[in-house]
Amino acid sequence: MLSSCVYNDIGLRSGPIDSKIIIETREILEPKSRRLTFFCATDSLYTCANFFLTTEKEINEKSIKVTFTSVGVSDFCLQAYGPATTSVDFSTLPKGEYSIQFNIKNLQNKGKLKVTNTDISLLFGQKDRIEFVRETTKRVPDKTYWGTIGYHEESSSILIDEFIQKFADAGAVFNKQSPGHYYYYEINASGDIISDVENSGYRFIKKFIFQYDGDESKLKELIQVDGKSYKESLSMRLETYKGEMFYNWGN
């Protein structure tokens, strides 16, 4: 049995947890690994935006336990309303089914965590003072790339198809995707990536997603070299299944 305490050491005082805790499953993509984490936040807002949850975690071969012990308070107050938060990291978990608990002090919530090639699912019955953002989070498939093109003039849309065709010419395959929420993006019932213009910072956006099995440096060059000729009209970002991002702005 491995056991550890996750304490944010900047905190010098703590108080009781007096609200529901909202839990979001996140698979953090990195160049050589993927990390399973749970981002946790109180339902209540506090007067300092840097309050945090102190947390204990235990893990063995087939069981996981997370216990939220208190709300930590720092001597320095970031003056804005916000929840108390923490991110509980379980690194790389092999495929399989695990018993899992999310406990608040002595209050226990028991369920199952199921990890497959395509999904990470939390299977719970009755829940007491915890809530999941979603019960199933899809896993980003290998060799998957997705991007956002933002623009402010409607007339700039004519340039987008021209640029996206460059990916196809390089060997990208624009297949329909499996519907669901992937944390990094969401796929609708038709298999298309969802665009959220309202929170994008642009008047218009175009999102795209594809699979690519070639030399990744060609995609990077398309964004960072070819894309610069479009930067007055289009702002481009390409993200990868390895957690990398490429942009068409900057030096």
Side-chain angles (χ1 to χ4, degrees), residues 166-220:
K166 293 177 182 288
F167 291 122
D169 293 342
V173 178
F174 289 84
N175 287 330
K176 295 291 186 180
Q177 307 294 310
S178 179
H181 198 292
Y182 291 73
Y183 174 57
Y184 293 91
Y185 56 84
E186 188 171 359
I187 302 296
N188 65 21
S190 299
D192 299 316
I193 193 167
I194 293 176
S195 299
D196 182 5
V197 178
E198 183 178 351
N199 298 313
S200 69
Y202 300 98
R203 287 187 63 205
F204 308 98
I205 64 168
K206 168 70 174 181
K207 285 201 170 186
F208 56 91
I209 186 167
F210 58 80
Q211 274 68 47
Y212 179 73
D213 199 23
D215 182 355
E216 189 177 278
S217 65
K218 292 182 179 179
L219 302 182
K220 182 177 180 180

Coordinates of all heavy atoms in Angstrom, one line a residue, residues 166-220:
K166 N -4.3 22.3 -46.5 CA -2.9 22.0 -46.4 C -2.6 20.8 -45.5 O -1.7 20.0 -45.8 CB -2.1 23.3 -45.9 CG -2.1 24.5 -46.8 CD -1.4 25.7 -46.2 CE -1.4 26.9 -47.0 NZ -0.5 26.8 -48.2
F167 N -3.4 20.7 -44.5 CA -3.3 19.5 -43.6 C -3.6 18.2 -44.4 O -2.9 17.2 -44.3 CB -4.2 19.6 -42.4 CG -3.7 20.6 -41.4 CD1 -4.6 21.7 -41.1 CD2 -2.5 20.6 -40.8 CE1 -4.2 22.6 -40.1 CE2 -2.1 21.6 -39.9 CZ -3.0 22.6 -39.6
A168 N -4.7 18.3 -45.1 CA -5.1 17.1 -45.9 C -4.1 16.7 -47.0 O -3.7 15.6 -47.2 CB -6.5 17.4 -46.6
D169 N -3.5 17.8 -47.6 CA -2.4 17.5 -48.6 C -1.2 16.9 -47.9 O -0.4 16.1 -48.6 CB -2.0 18.8 -49.2 CG -3.1 19.4 -50.1 OD1 -4.0 18.7 -50.5 OD2 -3.0 20.6 -50.4
A170 N -1.0 17.1 -46.6 CA 0.2 16.6 -45.9 C -0.1 15.1 -45.4 O 0.8 14.5 -44.9 CB 0.6 17.4 -44.7
G171 N -1.4 14.7 -45.6 CA -1.7 13.3 -45.2 C -2.7 13.2 -44.0 O -3.0 12.1 -43.5
A172 N -3.2 14.3 -43.5 CA -4.2 14.3 -42.4 C -5.5 13.6 -42.9 O -5.9 13.9 -44.0 CB -4.5 15.7 -41.9
V173 N -6.1 12.9 -42.0 CA -7.4 12.2 -42.3 C -8.5 12.8 -41.4 O -8.5 12.6 -40.2 CB -7.3 10.7 -42.1 CG1 -8.6 10.0 -42.4 CG2 -6.2 10.1 -43.0
F174 N -9.5 13.4 -42.1 CA -10.6 14.1 -41.3 C -11.8 13.1 -41.2 O -12.8 13.4 -41.8 CB -11.0 15.4 -42.0 CG -9.9 16.4 -41.9 CD1 -8.8 16.5 -42.8 CD2 -10.0 17.4 -41.0 CE1 -7.9 17.4 -42.7 CE2 -9.0 18.4 -40.9 CZ -7.9 18.4 -41.8
N175 N -11.6 12.1 -40.4 CA -12.7 11.2 -40.1 C -13.7 11.7 -39.1 O -13.3 12.6 -38.3 CB -12.2 9.8 -39.7 CG -11.6 9.0 -40.8 OD1 -11.9 9.2 -41.9 ND2 -10.6 8.2 -40.4
K176 N -14.9 11.2 -39.0 CA -15.8 11.5 -37.9 C -15.2 10.9 -36.6 O -14.5 9.8 -36.7 CB -17.2 10.9 -38.2 CG -17.9 11.5 -39.3 CD -18.3 12.9 -39.1 CE -19.2 13.5 -40.2 NZ -19.6 14.9 -39.9
Q177 N -15.5 11.5 -35.5 CA -14.9 11.1 -34.2 C -16.0 10.4 -33.4 O -17.2 10.7 -33.6 CB -14.3 12.3 -33.5 CG -13.3 13.0 -34.3 CD -12.1 12.3 -34.6 OE1 -11.5 11.6 -33.7 NE2 -11.6 12.2 -35.9
S178 N -15.6 9.7 -32.4 CA -16.6 9.1 -31.4 C -17.2 10.1 -30.5 O -16.4 10.9 -29.9 CB -15.9 8.0 -30.6 OG -16.8 7.4 -29.7
P179 N -18.5 10.3 -30.5 CA -19.1 11.3 -29.7 C -18.7 11.2 -28.2 O -18.6 10.1 -27.6 CB -20.6 11.1 -29.9 CG -20.7 10.4 -31.2 CD -19.5 9.5 -31.2
G180 N -18.6 12.4 -27.5 CA -18.4 12.4 -26.1 C -17.5 13.6 -25.7 O -17.1 14.4 -26.6
H181 N -17.2 13.7 -24.4 CA -16.3 14.8 -23.9 C -15.0 14.2 -23.6 O -14.8 13.2 -22.9 CB -16.9 15.3 -22.6 CG -16.4 16.7 -22.3 ND1 -15.1 16.9 -21.9 CD2 -17.0 17.9 -22.3 CE1 -14.9 18.2 -21.6 NE2 -16.0 18.8 -21.9
Y182 N -13.9 14.9 -24.2 CA -12.5 14.4 -24.1 C -11.7 15.3 -23.2 O -10.5 15.2 -23.2 CB -11.9 14.4 -25.5 CG -12.5 13.3 -26.4 CD1 -13.7 13.4 -27.0 CD2 -11.7 12.2 -26.8 CE1 -14.2 12.5 -27.9 CE2 -12.2 11.2 -27.6 CZ -13.5 11.3 -28.2 OH -13.9 10.4 -29.0
Y183 N -12.3 16.2 -22.4 CA -11.7 17.2 -21.6 C -11.1 18.3 -22.4 O -11.4 19.5 -22.2 CB -10.7 16.6 -20.6 CG -10.0 17.7 -19.8 CD1 -10.7 18.7 -19.1 CD2 -8.6 17.8 -19.9 CE1 -10.0 19.7 -18.5 CE2 -7.9 18.9 -19.3 CZ -8.6 19.8 -18.6 OH -8.0 20.8 -17.9
Y184 N -10.3 18.0 -23.4 CA -9.7 19.0 -24.2 C -10.6 19.5 -25.3 O -10.4 20.6 -25.8 CB -8.4 18.4 -24.9 CG -7.3 18.1 -23.9 CD1 -7.2 16.8 -23.4 CD2 -6.4 19.0 -23.6 CE1 -6.2 16.5 -22.5 CE2 -5.3 18.7 -22.7 CZ -5.3 17.5 -22.1 OH -4.3 17.2 -21.2
Y185 N -11.6 18.7 -25.7 CA -12.5 19.1 -26.7 C -13.8 18.2 -26.5 O -13.8 17.2 -25.8 CB -11.9 18.9 -28.1 CG -11.4 17.5 -28.4 CD1 -12.2 16.5 -28.9 CD2 -10.0 17.3 -28.3 CE1 -11.7 15.3 -29.2 CE2 -9.5 16.0 -28.6 CZ -10.4 15.0 -29.0 OH -9.9 13.8 -29.3
E186 N -14.8 18.5 -27.3 CA -16.1 17.7 -27.2 C -16.5 17.4 -28.6 O -16.5 18.3 -29.5 CB -17.1 18.5 -26.4 CG -18.4 17.7 -26.2 CD -19.4 18.4 -25.2 OE1 -19.0 19.5 -24.8 OE2 -20.4 17.8 -24.9
I187 N -17.0 16.2 -28.8 CA -17.5 15.7 -30.1 C -19.0 15.5 -30.0 O -19.5 14.8 -29.1 CB -16.8 14.4 -30.5 CG1 -15.3 14.6 -30.6 CG2 -17.4 13.9 -31.9 CD1 -14.8 15.6 -31.6
N188 N -19.8 16.1 -30.9 CA -21.2 16.0 -30.9 C -21.7 14.6 -31.5 O -20.9 13.8 -31.9 CB -21.9 17.1 -31.6 CG -21.6 17.2 -33.1 OD1 -21.2 16.2 -33.7 ND2 -21.8 18.4 -33.7
A189 N -23.0 14.4 -31.5 CA -23.6 13.2 -31.9 C -23.3 12.8 -33.4 O -23.4 11.7 -33.8 CB -25.1 13.1 -31.6
S190 N -23.0 13.9 -34.1 CA -22.7 13.7 -35.6 C -21.3 13.4 -35.8 O -20.9 13.1 -37.0 CB -23.1 14.9 -36.4 OG -24.5 15.2 -36.2
G191 N -20.4 13.4 -34.8 CA -19.0 13.0 -34.9 C -18.1 14.2 -35.2 O -17.0 14.1 -35.6
D192 N -18.7 15.4 -35.0 CA -17.9 16.7 -35.3 C -17.5 17.4 -34.0 O -18.2 17.3 -33.0 CB -18.8 17.6 -36.2 CG -19.2 17.0 -37.5 OD1 -18.3 16.4 -38.2 OD2 -20.4 17.2 -37.9
I193 N -16.4 18.1 -34.1 CA -15.9 18.8 -32.9 C -16.8 20.0 -32.7 O -17.2 20.7 -33.6 CB -14.4 19.1 -33.1 CG1 -13.8 19.6 -31.8 CG2 -14.2 20.2 -34.2 CD1 -12.3 19.7 -31.8
I194 N -17.1 20.3 -31.4 CA -17.9 21.4 -31.1 C -17.1 22.7 -30.9 O -16.1 22.7 -30.3 CB -18.7 21.1 -29.7 CG1 -19.7 19.9 -30.0 CG2 -19.4 22.3 -29.2 CD1 -20.4 19.5 -28.7
S195 N -17.7 23.8 -31.5 CA -17.0 25.1 -31.4 C -17.8 26.0 -30.4 O -19.0 26.0 -30.5 CB -17.0 25.8 -32.8 OG -16.2 25.0 -33.7
D196 N -17.1 26.6 -29.5 CA -17.8 27.5 -28.5 C -17.3 28.9 -28.8 O -16.3 29.3 -28.2 CB -17.4 27.0 -27.1 CG -18.1 27.9 -26.0 OD1 -18.9 28.8 -26.4 OD2 -17.8 27.7 -24.8
V197 N -18.0 29.6 -29.6 CA -17.6 31.0 -30.0 C -17.7 31.9 -28.8 O -16.8 32.8 -28.6 CB -18.5 31.5 -31.1 CG1 -18.2 32.9 -31.5 CG2 -18.4 30.6 -32.3
E198 N -18.7 31.7 -27.9 CA -19.0 32.7 -26.8 C -17.8 32.9 -25.9 O -17.5 34.0 -25.5 CB -20.2 32.2 -26.0 CG -20.6 33.1 -24.9 CD -21.8 32.6 -24.1 OE1 -22.4 31.6 -24.6 OE2 -22.1 33.2 -23.1
N199 N -17.0 31.8 -25.6 CA -15.9 31.9 -24.7 C -14.5 31.9 -25.4 O -13.5 31.6 -24.8 CB -16.0 30.7 -23.7 CG -17.2 30.8 -22.9 OD1 -17.6 31.8 -22.3 ND2 -17.9 29.7 -22.8
S200 N -14.5 32.1 -26.7 CA -13.3 32.0 -27.5 C -12.4 33.2 -27.5 O -11.2 33.1 -27.8 CB -13.6 31.6 -28.9 OG -14.2 32.6 -29.6
G201 N -13.0 34.4 -27.3 CA -12.3 35.6 -27.5 C -12.3 36.2 -28.9 O -11.7 37.2 -29.2
Y202 N -13.0 35.5 -29.8 CA -13.1 35.9 -31.2 C -14.6 36.1 -31.6 O -15.4 35.5 -31.0 CB -12.4 34.9 -32.1 CG -11.0 34.6 -31.8 CD1 -10.5 33.6 -31.1 CD2 -10.0 35.5 -32.3 CE1 -9.2 33.3 -30.8 CE2 -8.6 35.3 -32.1 CZ -8.3 34.2 -31.3 OH -6.9 34.0 -31.0
R203 N -14.8 36.8 -32.7 CA -16.2 36.9 -33.2 C -16.6 35.6 -33.8 O -17.7 35.2 -33.8 CB -16.3 38.1 -34.2 CG -16.2 39.5 -33.6 CD -16.5 40.5 -34.6 NE -17.8 40.4 -35.2 CZ -18.2 40.8 -36.4 NH1 -17.3 41.4 -37.2 NH2 -19.4 40.6 -36.8
F204 N -15.6 34.9 -34.5 CA -15.9 33.7 -35.2 C -14.8 32.7 -34.9 O -13.6 33.1 -34.7 CB -16.0 33.9 -36.7 CG -16.9 35.0 -37.1 CD1 -16.4 36.3 -37.4 CD2 -18.3 34.8 -37.3 CE1 -17.3 37.3 -37.8 CE2 -19.1 35.8 -37.6 CZ -18.6 37.0 -37.9
I205 N -15.1 31.4 -34.9 CA -14.0 30.4 -34.8 C -14.4 29.2 -35.6 O -15.6 29.0 -35.9 CB -13.8 29.9 -33.3 CG1 -15.0 29.2 -32.7 CG2 -13.3 31.0 -32.4 CD1 -14.7 28.5 -31.4
K206 N -13.4 28.5 -36.0 CA -13.5 27.2 -36.7 C -12.6 26.2 -36.0 O -11.4 26.4 -35.8 CB -13.0 27.4 -38.2 CG -12.8 26.1 -38.9 CD -14.1 25.4 -39.2 CE -13.9 24.2 -40.1 NZ -15.2 23.5 -40.5
K207 N -13.2 25.1 -35.6 CA -12.5 24.0 -35.0 C -12.4 22.9 -35.9 O -13.3 22.7 -36.7 CB -13.1 23.6 -33.6 CG -12.9 24.6 -32.5 CD -13.1 23.9 -31.2 CE -12.6 24.9 -30.0 NZ -12.6 24.2 -28.7
F208 N -11.3 22.1 -35.8 CA -11.1 21.0 -36.7 C -10.4 19.9 -35.9 O -9.7 20.1 -34.9 CB -10.4 21.3 -38.0 CG -9.0 22.0 -37.7 CD1 -7.9 21.2 -37.6 CD2 -8.9 23.4 -37.5 CE1 -6.6 21.8 -37.4 CE2 -7.7 24.0 -37.3 CZ -6.6 23.2 -37.2
I209 N -10.5 18.6 -36.4 CA -9.8 17.5 -35.7 C -9.5 16.5 -36.8 O -10.3 16.3 -37.7 CB -10.7 16.9 -34.6 CG1 -9.9 15.9 -33.8 CG2 -12.0 16.4 -35.1 CD1 -10.6 15.5 -32.5
F210 N -8.3 15.9 -36.7 CA -7.9 14.8 -37.7 C -6.9 13.9 -37.0 O -6.4 14.1 -36.0 CB -7.4 15.5 -38.9 CG -6.1 16.4 -38.7 CD1 -4.9 15.8 -38.5 CD2 -6.3 17.8 -38.7 CE1 -3.7 16.6 -38.3 CE2 -5.1 18.6 -38.4 CZ -3.9 18.0 -38.3
Q211 N -6.7 12.8 -37.8 CA -5.7 11.8 -37.4 C -4.5 12.0 -38.4 O -4.8 12.2 -39.6 CB -6.2 10.4 -37.4 CG -6.9 9.9 -36.2 CD -8.2 10.6 -35.9 OE1 -9.0 10.8 -36.7 NE2 -8.3 11.1 -34.6
Y212 N -3.3 11.8 -37.9 CA -2.1 12.0 -38.8 C -1.1 11.0 -38.3 O -0.7 11.0 -37.1 CB -1.7 13.4 -38.7 CG -0.5 13.7 -39.5 CD1 -0.5 13.8 -40.9 CD2 0.8 13.9 -38.9 CE1 0.6 14.1 -41.6 CE2 1.9 14.2 -39.6 CZ 1.8 14.3 -41.0 OH 2.9 14.6 -41.7
D213 N -0.5 10.2 -39.2 CA 0.5 9.2 -38.8 C 1.8 9.5 -39.5 O 2.7 8.7 -39.5 CB 0.0 7.8 -39.3 CG 0.7 6.7 -38.6 OD1 1.3 7.0 -37.5 OD2 0.8 5.6 -39.1
G214 N 2.0 10.8 -39.9 CA 3.3 11.1 -40.6 C 4.2 11.8 -39.7 O 4.2 11.7 -38.5
D215 N 5.1 12.6 -40.3 CA 6.2 13.3 -39.6 C 5.5 14.6 -38.9 O 5.1 15.5 -39.7 CB 7.3 13.7 -40.5 CG 8.4 14.5 -39.9 OD1 8.3 14.8 -38.7 OD2 9.4 14.8 -40.5
E216 N 5.4 14.6 -37.6 CA 4.8 15.7 -36.9 C 5.4 17.1 -37.2 O 4.7 18.1 -37.2 CB 4.8 15.5 -35.4 CG 3.9 16.4 -34.6 CD 3.8 16.1 -33.2 OE1 3.0 15.2 -32.8 OE2 4.6 16.7 -32.4
S217 N 6.7 17.1 -37.5 CA 7.3 18.4 -37.8 C 6.7 19.1 -39.0 O 6.8 20.3 -39.1 CB 8.8 18.1 -38.0 OG 9.1 17.4 -39.2
K218 N 6.1 18.3 -39.9 CA 5.4 18.9 -41.1 C 4.2 19.7 -40.6 O 3.9 20.8 -41.2 CB 5.0 17.8 -42.1 CG 6.2 17.2 -42.8 CD 5.7 16.1 -43.8 CE 6.9 15.5 -44.5 NZ 6.4 14.4 -45.5
L219 N 3.5 19.2 -39.6 CA 2.3 19.9 -39.1 C 2.8 21.2 -38.4 O 2.2 22.3 -38.5 CB 1.5 19.0 -38.2 CG 1.0 17.7 -38.7 CD1 0.2 17.0 -37.7 CD2 0.1 18.0 -40.0
K220 N 3.8 21.0 -37.6 CA 4.4 22.2 -36.9 C 4.8 23.3 -37.9 O 4.5 24.5 -37.7 CB 5.6 21.8 -36.0 CG 6.2 22.9 -35.2 CD 7.3 22.3 -34.3 CE 7.9 23.4 -33.5 NZ 9.0 22.8 -32.6

